[in-house]
Amino acid sequence: MTTPWIKASASNEEGSCVEMRSHDDMIEVRDTKDRGGPVLRFTRAEFAAWLDGARGREFDHLLDGA
């Protein structure tokens, strides 16, 4: 089953965001500005692990520019 591409509600009008969908039991991620470009594919377990880390703020330091 393939779901429609979705993006976060916090995305801005300038296209500074990524879109995600479920496709062939994988989670796909693409750059909104380059919809015909490359697509990153993750297993559900990989994506769930990333979401868990994001919810736990494990990656917040990446926004500090360090």
Side-chain angles (χ1 to χ4, degrees):
M1 181 173 109
T2 300
T3 63
W5 288 101
I6 59 170
K7 61 182 176 179
S9 59
S11 299
N12 65 35
E13 295 297 319
E14 294 146 11
S16 296
C17 59
V18 294
E19 299 175 316
M20 294 157 276
R21 74 175 179 181
S22 176
H23 177 70
D24 290 339
D25 208 32
M26 301 287 284
I27 303 298
E28 296 184 333
V29 180
R30 71 179 181 186
D31 184 345
T32 301
K33 296 181 300 302
D34 188 12
R35 291 183 171 153
V39 173
L40 300 174
R41 301 184 81 213
F42 302 94
T43 65
R44 293 185 180 282
E46 290 167 336
F47 198 75
W50 182 86
L51 278 178
D52 185 61
R55 288 181 184 127
R57 305 183 64 107
E58 293 178 33
F59 314 121
D60 287 3
H61 69 283
L62 297 172
L63 298 175
D64 296 335

